[in-house]
Amino acid sequence: MPITLRRIVREVQTASDLDEALAIIVRRVKETLLVDACAVYLLDEESRQYVLMAAAGLNPSWIGQVRLDRSEGLVGWVGDRQESINLKNAAAHPRYRPFTETGEADYHAFFGVPLIDYRQTLGVLVAWRRAQCRFDREEEAFFVTLAARLAKVIHDDAATKNVARLLGEEAQRAFIQGVQGAPGMAIGTIALLDPLADLALIPDRPAQDLAAEEAVFKAAVTTVQKELCASGERLAADLPSEARALFDTYVMLLSSESLMVDTIKRIRAGNWAPGAWRDTIAEHARVFDRMEDPYLRARAEDIWDIGHRILVPLQTEAKESRQYPQRCILAGETVGIAEIVAVPINQLVGVISRSGSALSHTAVLARALGIPAVANLAALPIGRLDGREAVIDGDQGRVYLQPSPAVVAAYQLRASKAEALATRLGALRDEPAETPDGVRVPLQANAGFIAELAPALAHGAEGIGLFRTEFAFMARETFPVEDEQYEIYRTVLESFAPKPVTLRTLDVGGDKILPYFPMEENNPFLGCRGIRFTLDHPEIFLIQLRAMLRANAGLNNLRVLFPMIGRVDEVDEARGLLNHAYRELVTEGRAAAKPLIGAMIEVPSAVYLTAALVKRVDFFSVGTNDLTQYLLAVDRNNAAVATPYDSLHPAVLHAIRHVVEEAHRPGQTGRRVRRNRGRPSGGALVVRDGYRCLEHESDQSRPRQVDHPPLHRAPSAGAPG
């Protein structure tokens, strides 16, 4: 049964449209479970009625004609309950209402399962038998599993039709709604990320040079043919004859005139080689998938496998010649930091992705670069968008595809108004940042690139509250050496001296991956992240610490922040390595200066270690993004659980309050503490792009003490206190 289920799912995925997919479902269910009839009803959003969309074993002339109100019949009952129903004799049920025209009145046993995606009921899958008997457990499991997969197909098809509407001539002001990633707006051309060797992810892309695309395709086929022949010969003595025959089968498939001719036809029709190959493989595999003979049907697996083998050399050629639009909107399933920095900075104007959230590090980088981003476009068939013109609105989380002249004009007007507002605000840059009741709030900047320093200074930043050193690591092909890091850190410190600069030590892992140092982990957000990674690799950590200490020489405005602290001994070990680096530099006769040291409170265990940690560090930074994620067990990059993610959840607020109270407890430290709300500042509890920082400041530069209300807000009605 599981093998049959996988084959049905694969056949559905290769269907040309939803109608064909539904027809495959009902036909295969009828054959596999030996039921007498099977049907799919979909919910029409406008009429709020269930419509018969596909059937096997019922009168086909009524497909599209039969409509049921949401509360009508057994189908409506399944949808209302949002759970499967298994009846031995449907006619005995009070909600039974058969359509005699379809022939369902001839059946007795009934099984219905709702089609649900993201809590929304999309339709109902139904099966009948003439005999009065319940469906057994294995059949129930088969139905429920198939329904879950079918619901996703239906959901994605609705998104595809929406995009088709948006790309059509009738689109005027229609948009696709996502979530805000980074503010701002941009008008440009969408460029998709180069996908991995997965045929399902290959987008359509116009061929710039038909002859070149054809040559690339033929070269890829020749390369794989030679590899297969060589492998077959090398392993001939060690493999049984039936296994050796597989190599011959693959070589024969690659020599198939139909595969070659069909792909070349598609290239000459205007599609690039990977897209043409994708369509050819899907078409040929679909033919085998529909065959009744099990042996022949299994040949579809060979077609798919050879399709992926050819894709690898095809993509290698495509990457080498990749060109980005002058006004590039980068798009993908996910868009990583490495992909962003691969686009020339003067060409990148925006980022969109199917997954992710406003709290992902991709969104953080987009905000740092001053480009808009829209995330969580979950059902967007992104493969159809390459080369399309678009407007992205990061303020409202919207994407306009093929925007009308009216939409473009409206956003151009918005851009000019935003520029005028920025000019007016620029006149306030030298005014003190002060609340109406006289509380001074120092304003500092977040940064990750040297290019961000000049704009920060131009806007009156009073220091750097957080410099993300990992961006320099992620934008390279190898680890940066000590002198390279020194030059970056020195430039940052000199640019703001004597104002404070907080450099966070290398913070990779989770959704921040080094392209030259891949880490395969089942749960990367619970894996080798932040301080765990650097302590595991002192040979890398010491280079960074040495560079930081050298950069601080003669300036003394450096603050070093250790991320992802979860244990007291991690701080002790990190401090030990920093002292070791300092002694080395002194021994070598190099100028160096020790900094203030801070710990990020973002692992829940650190919340309850505050009393011990406060004796070991000079300041705390509460990273509410990760702290919220770990406290609430909600992946902040997962669109499916975006709603439960709430950085103002009572549990998060209580955790922050606990940190504040422990840090202020008499006898914990000899340093005075104040706390404010605002941008990163010396000696303050502040909020900056998802980070709250509690910082201790020495008596030499102690600001006046300010009293504030407790760090919490009144819970909403019905919420826990």
Side-chain angles (χ1 to χ4, degrees):
M1 195 79 78
I3 295 176
T4 303
L5 182 60
R6 285 198 296 272
R7 285 176 178 165
I8 293 174
V9 170
R10 189 182 62 230
E11 192 174 347
V12 167
Q13 289 174 336
T14 60
S16 58
D17 55 33
L18 180 61
D19 289 339
E20 182 182 1
L22 297 180
I24 292 169
I25 288 284
V26 296
R27 184 174 69 251
R28 292 299 185 203
V29 168
K30 187 173 182 295
E31 295 169 355
T32 302
L33 297 186
L34 302 179
V35 299
D36 294 303
C38 180
V40 174
Y41 289 84
L42 296 187
L43 185 61
D44 181 350
E45 286 296 329
E46 292 185 5
S47 67
R48 307 304 293 166
Q49 293 179 316
Y50 288 103
V51 183
L52 178 64
M53 297 298 296
L58 300 181
N59 186 342
S61 63
W62 286 91
I63 293 175
Q65 304 299 314
V66 174
R67 288 178 170 266
L68 297 167
D69 291 336
R70 291 193 63 179
S71 60
E72 190 174 5
L74 293 175
V75 170
W77 194 45
V78 172
D80 283 345
R81 287 166 52 102
Q82 291 193 318
E83 60 181 314
S84 58
I85 296 173
N86 188 352
L87 299 175
K88 177 179 179 180
N89 182 15
H93 195 277
R95 291 285 294 267
Y96 178 65
R97 190 207 161 189
F99 270 85
T100 55
E101 297 87 347
T102 64
E104 63 183 88
D106 298 333
Y107 306 125
H108 295 91
F110 172 94
F111 189 89
V113 57
L115 305 172
I116 299 174
D117 191 71
Y118 289 106
R119 304 186 185 186
Q120 180 183 1
T121 300
L122 306 177
V124 178
L125 175 64
V126 183
W128 294 270
R129 283 194 175 114
R130 284 190 172 85
Q132 292 191 20
C133 59
R134 291 175 60 86
F135 288 80
D136 62 34
R137 290 182 179 179
E138 187 176 359
E139 290 171 330
E140 283 191 31
F142 178 90
F143 264 114
V144 171
T145 306
L146 185 60
R149 300 298 295 268
L150 178 56
K152 186 178 187 309
V153 171
I154 295 167
H155 183 270
D156 289 352
D157 178 78
T160 301
K161 288 179 178 176
N162 184 44
V163 170
R165 178 177 59 82
L166 294 175
L167 296 177
E169 295 180 358
E170 75 276 11
Q172 293 298 319
R173 294 181 176 271
F175 56 84
I176 303 169
Q177 186 67 53
V179 299
Q180 302 166 0
M185 55 79 56
I187 302 170
T189 304
I190 293 175
L192 298 186
L193 298 180
D194 292 315
L196 301 174
D198 186 343
L199 283 169
L201 300 179
I202 294 296
D204 286 325
R205 186 173 291 167
Q208 302 299 322
D209 185 333
L210 299 183
E213 291 292 332
E214 189 173 329
V216 165
F217 169 66
K218 290 179 178 178
V221 172
T222 300
T223 297
V224 175
Q225 282 178 324
K226 290 179 179 179
E227 289 174 354
L228 289 171
C229 289
S231 299
E233 292 173 2
R234 186 175 67 253
L235 300 173
D238 301 319
L239 294 176
S241 57
E242 60 270 19
R244 290 198 304 271
L246 288 175
F247 289 94
D248 297 333
T249 299
Y250 282 6
V251 172
M252 179 188 68
L253 285 171
L254 283 177
S255 302
S256 167
E257 184 175 345
S258 59
L259 286 178
M260 295 290 292
V261 169
D262 288 354
T263 303
I264 291 173
K265 282 182 179 178
R266 288 184 166 96
I267 291 174
R268 292 175 179 174
N271 206 353
W272 69 322
W277 179 243
R278 174 207 63 201
D279 290 344
T280 298
I281 289 298
E283 180 184 22
H284 284 257
R286 192 155 52 235
V287 172
F288 282 99
D289 262 328
R290 293 172 179 173
M291 291 182 176
E292 300 301 326
D293 183 87
Y295 176 81
L296 292 176
R297 196 159 59 226
R299 298 288 65 78
E301 297 284 357
D302 297 332
I303 296 287
W304 284 114
D305 189 51
I306 206 66
H308 287 96
R309 284 177 179 269
I310 292 292
L311 193 56
V312 175
L314 271 183
Q315 286 186 304
T316 301
E317 294 287 339
K319 269 193 171 183
E320 292 176 356
S321 59
R322 182 70 191 269
Q323 298 291 323
Y324 292 99
Q326 282 303 307
R327 293 187 58 80
C328 174
I329 297 174
L330 198 58
E333 182 73 29
T334 59
V335 180
I337 295 174
E339 287 85 7
I340 290 177
V341 299
V343 182
I345 194 66
N346 61 331
Q347 292 178 227
L348 184 63
V349 299
V351 176
I352 61 176
S353 62
R354 284 182 49 153
S355 58
S357 72
L359 301 168
S360 69
H361 289 102
T362 299
V364 169
L365 178 56
R367 289 195 292 273
L369 294 175
I371 59 174
V374 178
N376 195 11
L377 297 159
L380 183 66
I382 211 138
R384 303 185 57 195
L385 304 183
D386 197 59
R388 300 282 188 174
E389 297 302 310
V391 169
I392 65 174
D393 183 343
D395 298 325
Q396 301 185 72
R398 295 176 177 178
V399 176
Y400 295 80
L401 300 174
Q402 296 293 88
S404 66
V407 169
V408 172
Y411 274 89
Q412 288 174 336
L413 179 61
R414 267 187 58 183
S416 63
K417 288 182 177 179
E419 187 175 347
L421 175 61
T423 301
R424 293 197 303 273
L425 292 176
L428 303 176
R429 56 150 289 175
D430 295 323
E431 295 293 324
E434 192 170 281
T435 63
D437 60 347
V439 177
R440 179 75 167 86
V441 183
L443 295 179
Q444 299 183 351
N446 282 347
F449 295 98
I450 296 297
E452 298 175 81
L453 302 182
L457 287 167
H459 286 85
E462 301 174 60
I464 294 290
L466 177 67
F467 190 88
R468 296 177 170 88
T469 63
E470 60 270 12
F471 288 174
F473 285 75
M474 302 178 77
R476 295 173 46 86
E477 298 295 328
T478 58
F479 281 108
V481 298
E482 181 179 321
D483 285 344
E484 290 175 305
Q485 294 187 54
Y486 163 77
E487 291 171 2
I488 294 172
Y489 306 150
R490 185 70 179 184
T491 299
V492 179
L493 293 171
E494 283 182 334
S495 298
F496 283 87
K499 298 171 182 174
V501 171
T502 300
L503 300 182
R504 185 174 64 188
T505 59
L506 181 60
D507 186 16
V508 293
D511 61 348
K512 295 183 291 185
I513 304 300
L514 299 177
Y516 47 85
F517 197 91
M519 295 180 287
E520 296 294 331
E521 298 181 297
N522 290 332
N523 295 295
F525 280 94
L526 299 178
C528 193
R529 296 190 61 192
I531 199 67
R532 299 171 185 171
F533 176 81
T534 49
L535 291 180
D536 282 350
H537 294 277
E539 76 284 7
I540 297 170
F541 198 19
L542 281 169
I543 290 174
Q544 183 176 43
L545 293 175
R546 284 171 56 95
M548 288 181 173
L549 294 174
R550 287 173 56 195
N552 193 37
L555 298 175
N556 295 306
N557 62 334
L558 171 64
R559 300 178 175 198
V560 172
L561 178 62
F562 298 134
M564 288 295 293
I565 294 297
R567 301 166 56 93
V568 171
D569 58 5
E570 289 172 339
V571 173
D572 292 339
E573 190 174 351
R575 288 178 61 103
L577 287 172
L578 187 143
N579 290 330
H580 176 73
Y582 179 76
R583 289 193 299 270
E584 280 186 346
L585 292 170
V586 171
T587 301
E588 296 169 9
R590 291 175 177 262
K594 286 188 176 182
L596 294 177
I597 295 173
M600 289 199 74
I601 308 296
E602 49 193 340
V603 177
S605 60
V607 172
Y608 300 100
L609 295 175
T610 306
L613 293 173
V614 77
K615 300 173 183 177
R616 290 167 165 81
V617 298
D618 300 293
F619 64 95
F620 292 140
S621 171
V622 181
T624 52
N625 284 348
D626 275 322
L627 182 60
T628 301
Q629 174 174 248
Y630 294 135
L631 278 175
L632 304 185
V634 175
D635 181 355
R636 58 191 171 106
N637 291 319
N638 187 342
V641 291
T643 302
Y645 185 95
D646 179 11
S647 60
L648 294 178
H649 188 285
V652 178
L653 297 179
H654 282 304
I656 295 172
R657 182 173 184 174
H658 177 81
V659 173
V660 173
E661 290 175 344
E662 284 296 311
H664 282 73
R665 193 178 300 280
Q668 293 288 55
T669 176
R671 292 174 177 157
R672 298 286 298 276
V673 178
R674 75 177 179 123
R675 56 191 176 93
N676 298 324
R677 286 181 174 241
R679 286 286 181 184
S681 61
L685 177 67
V686 298
V687 179
R688 61 160 182 259
D689 290 348
Y691 291 94
R692 288 184 175 84
C693 302
L694 174 65
E695 298 177 336
H696 301 261
E697 203 166 280
S698 66
D699 289 338
Q700 295 176 351
S701 59
R702 183 171 68 248
R704 66 187 179 87
Q705 196 77 14
V706 179
D707 294 326
H708 289 273
L711 183 65
H712 69 84
R713 65 173 185 175
S716 58

